Amino acid sequence: MRAPWLLRVVERLPLDEIVDVFHAPLRGFLARHPRVRRALDGSWLGHPLHPALIPLPIGAFTTGLVLDAATLFGCPWAARGADLAFTIGLVAAVPAVLAGLTEWSYLEGTPRRVAFVHAASNVASTQMMVGSVILRAMDLRGAAMVVSTLGFVVLGVGAWLGGELAFHYGAGVGRISEDRGNTDR
């Protein structure tokens, strides 16, 4: 099966030098701290931890978006819920990011580059969500809603790339079962 055009574009991006700047130190840190690596890679769980953590921030951001839409249709009570949902999403994103970085440390070649773009789009989305929460605190709800909607679109691109990593490249698939016999973890 041929990869979608966007994936083919991402695969060809000349990112190896930039990726190495981040990948090598992360891999070194995790090699020096195997307990941290084990806690974040999900080997204790029996499968990668990152996919188990991402539904909470994505679900919270989705809830915030739906509640924002409800405020546009005359439900003033939904505004406070949207603010809370976006804040919960940001808090929940922290462990998902840490687990994702750990999972990324195992990747090589093209999947590593694709995962870098996946992470970069999620960082951009998270920054937009932070901006939205700040705008909400400043009582600039309309601007906050625009920024969080744009952040949600960017999050969708990152999520799609994450799906491609799992289903097109098999990132993380089988890694835990292969590692179960390894006692240095």
Side-chain angles (χ1 to χ4, degrees):
M1 185 169 123
R2 190 167 178 203
W5 70 269
L6 180 58
L7 183 59
R8 291 193 315 269
V9 168
V10 171
E11 288 173 335
R12 292 183 180 104
L13 291 174
L15 296 173
D16 287 333
E17 289 181 25
I18 296 169
V19 170
D20 287 343
V21 168
F22 297 100
H23 194 260
L26 174 64
R27 192 175 240 179
F29 172 82
L30 292 171
R32 289 187 308 276
H33 299 89
R35 287 184 177 161
V36 172
R37 181 185 64 204
R38 182 168 163 67
L40 292 173
D41 73 4
S43 54
W44 57 271
L45 185 61
H47 63 80
L49 183 59
H50 181 65
L53 294 177
I54 58 174
L56 186 54
I58 291 174
F61 294 146
T62 303
T63 300
L65 195 68
V66 169
L67 290 172
D68 271 348
T71 63
L72 293 175
F73 291 102
C75 298
W77 53 265
R80 187 170 164 98
D83 298 350
L84 180 61
F86 282 110
T87 302
I88 289 169
L90 289 172
V91 171
V94 173
V97 166
L98 294 174
L101 285 171
T102 303
E103 193 64 35
W104 179 59
S105 74
Y106 289 102
L107 298 178
E108 294 293 339
T110 301
R112 185 173 73 168
R113 286 191 303 277
V114 172
F116 183 79
V117 177
H118 160 71
S121 65
N122 289 333
V123 165
S125 172
T126 300
Q127 289 173 332
M128 290 181 216
M129 298 305 184
V130 167
S132 175
V133 169
I134 291 169
L135 289 168
R136 290 163 193 279
M138 297 170 59
D139 204 24
L140 298 170
R141 182 157 305 278
M145 293 167 90
V146 169
V147 170
S148 61
T149 301
L150 290 173
F152 194 79
V153 170
V154 174
L155 178 68
V157 172
W160 177 79
L161 285 170
E164 289 298 314
L165 284 164
F167 297 109
H168 183 79
Y169 295 107
V173 175
R175 180 183 51 76
I176 300 296
S177 60
E178 292 168 4
D179 291 344
R180 285 189 177 154
N182 189 346
T183 57
D184 70 344
R185 294 181 63 79

